[in-house]
Amino acid sequence: MKKTLLNLFKQSGGNFLSGEELSRRLNCTRAAVWKHIEELRKEGYEFEAVRKAGYRLIHVPDVLTQEEIKYQLDTQFVGKTIRYLPEVESTQLVAHQWAEEGAPEGALVVTEHQSSGRGRLGRKWHSPPKTGIWMSLILRPQIELRKAPQLTLLTAVAVSRAIKQMVPEIDVRIKWPNDLLIRSKKVCGILTELNAESDRIHYLVIGIGINVNVEPDAFPQDVRPFATSIFAETGVRAHRAELVRLICAEMEQLYQLYLEEGFKPIKLLWESHAAFIGEKRRINTLDGVFEGIIRGIDEEGVLLLELNNGIIKKILSADLPLE
């Protein structure tokens, strides 16, 4: 009922809605309407109440509740099912458990704060409360196991496009394989984990962490030289639920394109957003440190590094440090 009530206010164009009209449209008592409005006030929504005129919504808080994310969400399945938790240890852990219980494809776990957020290679991910987007998406693609890393590259394209839609003046670049950069500083990390057997994928959990409205001095001292946020770059506080909606729409569009046409169109999009192509970089791999010019990715999503002797080395897994 709260979701319906919120939608009525948002669709009213800032006009007053009387208690009588609201009770009629919600099929409940005026006392119940007042109770739900009070609950929304506790969540940060602000209403103006005028005798004989009724109520009108004057402020929508920057929260990541189901109601806010689903409002005007234009997708068929991504984000249609949401599990919102104010605080969790990790959205990845919640998503894995939910996926094993049968969560549908496109289901989303969202939180305001992670106490033990983590990134690739077991690194800790700093997730300050109510300032970023910390979420995990469940997908169930019918693809070969070896192609699972391509979904990380697809997600990077989707998130970069969504950020660009919301803040056109920002130039977001993708650092292979799973980071988004603004002016060579990390603004987003992507962590893809899977549950599979033999050559069959049961599900993927794609974790997305975005520094949206994080204050520059809120980053731990050791990561400040390498981390940034949308707010730090623009001085504008972005509405996080709107950005989640944009990400869901981009993910669904690109995911369906991928399932229909394969990785090739995703590869072209990825390279158009990529950082460091044509630049000489150092790459840390399990086989050692290699230096060369980054030439893009191949048809499978493997990084291509042109070594000093002209040989093209294919990099399956590595760490490309920010220098």
Side-chain angles (χ1 to χ4, degrees):
M1 190 172 287
K2 274 199 309 183
K3 178 183 176 182
T4 305
L5 182 62
L6 266 179
N7 287 342
L8 288 175
F9 278 113
K10 289 178 177 179
Q11 292 163 9
S12 72
N15 295 318
F16 282 95
L17 297 175
S18 69
E20 181 180 352
E21 180 182 0
L22 289 169
S23 66
R24 178 179 57 79
R25 296 178 71 173
L26 293 173
N27 194 27
C28 66
T29 65
R30 293 179 67 172
V33 169
W34 178 85
K35 179 184 176 182
H36 288 303
I37 288 175
E38 288 304 302
E39 289 175 357
L40 288 168
R41 279 179 168 143
K42 290 176 183 177
E43 294 177 11
Y45 295 88
E46 295 179 17
F47 295 88
E48 181 182 5
V50 175
R51 189 178 176 125
K52 295 186 178 180
Y55 307 90
R56 70 184 180 110
L57 181 64
I58 58 175
H59 173 71
V60 175
D62 182 27
V63 292
L64 293 176
T65 58
Q66 293 186 48
E67 291 83 5
E68 282 304 310
I69 293 172
K70 286 187 175 182
Y71 179 67
Q72 294 185 331
L73 177 65
D74 187 21
T75 60
Q76 294 178 9
F77 63 95
V78 175
K80 286 296 187 181
T81 306
I82 298 175
R83 183 166 288 181
Y84 165 75
L85 299 164
E87 180 174 351
V88 295
E89 183 179 342
S90 164
T91 58
Q92 291 291 93
L93 296 177
V94 176
H96 275 287
Q97 182 177 350
W98 194 15
E100 289 171 3
E101 293 169 354
E105 183 165 55
L108 197 63
V109 177
V110 185
T111 189
E112 288 286 5
H113 177 52
Q114 293 184 117
S115 58
S116 300
R118 55 195 169 89
R120 186 167 166 267
L121 304 177
R123 293 169 177 150
K124 184 176 180 180
W125 181 268
H126 182 58
S127 312
K130 299 183 178 181
T131 58
I133 291 172
W134 328 120
M135 68 185 196
S136 295
L137 175 67
I138 298 169
L139 294 178
R140 300 182 182 274
Q142 298 299 306
I143 59 173
E144 296 175 58
L145 183 59
R146 65 183 178 85
K147 293 184 177 181
Q150 295 174 353
L151 273 299
T152 300
L153 305 180
L154 182 153
T155 303
V157 174
V159 177
S160 63
R161 281 161 56 118
I163 293 175
K164 189 72 176 175
Q165 278 188 64
M166 191 164 198
V167 193
E169 64 269 27
I170 285 184
D171 184 27
V172 184
R173 291 285 152 184
I174 304 171
K175 179 175 81 71
W176 188 90
N178 68 326
D179 292 338
L180 300 187
L181 309 177
I182 300 174
R183 294 192 304 112
S184 297
K185 287 188 174 185
K186 184 171 178 176
V187 72
C188 170
I190 298 163
L191 176 63
T192 301
E193 298 173 326
L194 69 159
N195 180 293
E197 59 180 330
S198 183
D199 199 33
R200 178 171 174 259
I201 295 174
H202 295 300
Y203 66 81
L204 286 172
V205 173
I206 303 176
I208 301 170
I210 309 173
N211 300 323
V212 183
N213 296 322
V214 183
E215 299 275 355
D217 58 3
F219 291 108
Q221 198 72 37
D222 59 329
V223 303
R224 285 185 192 178
F226 312 105
T228 191
S229 69
I230 294 173
F231 171 74
E233 296 298 322
T234 64
V236 175
R237 297 195 182 278
H239 196 270
R240 293 174 298 145
E242 181 183 349
L243 182 52
V244 173
R245 289 195 294 271
L246 290 171
I247 292 169
C248 288
E250 288 289 343
M251 276 297 302
E252 183 168 289
Q253 180 184 349
L254 293 179
Y255 182 58
Q256 290 177 326
L257 176 66
Y258 172 76
L259 295 179
E260 291 169 5
E261 300 185 25
F263 185 65
K264 185 174 181 180
I266 307 301
K267 171 189 183 302
L268 297 174
L269 288 169
W270 189 93
E271 289 182 331
S272 72
H273 289 81
F276 311 139
I277 288 184
E279 295 184 19
K280 193 167 190 177
R281 308 292 295 191
R282 234 178 353 99
I283 296 182
N284 302 323
T285 75
L286 293 175
D287 298 326
V289 179
F290 296 90
E291 187 174 88
I293 298 173
I294 295 176
R295 294 302 186 192
I297 54 177
D298 69 7
E299 300 302 322
E300 297 297 320
V302 175
L303 189 69
L304 302 176
L305 184 70
E306 183 181 341
L307 303 178
N308 294 332
N309 60 8
I311 293 175
I312 299 293
K313 181 173 181 60
K314 293 189 174 186
I315 308 291
L316 294 171
S317 177
D319 185 34
L320 205 171
L322 291 172
E323 299 174 352

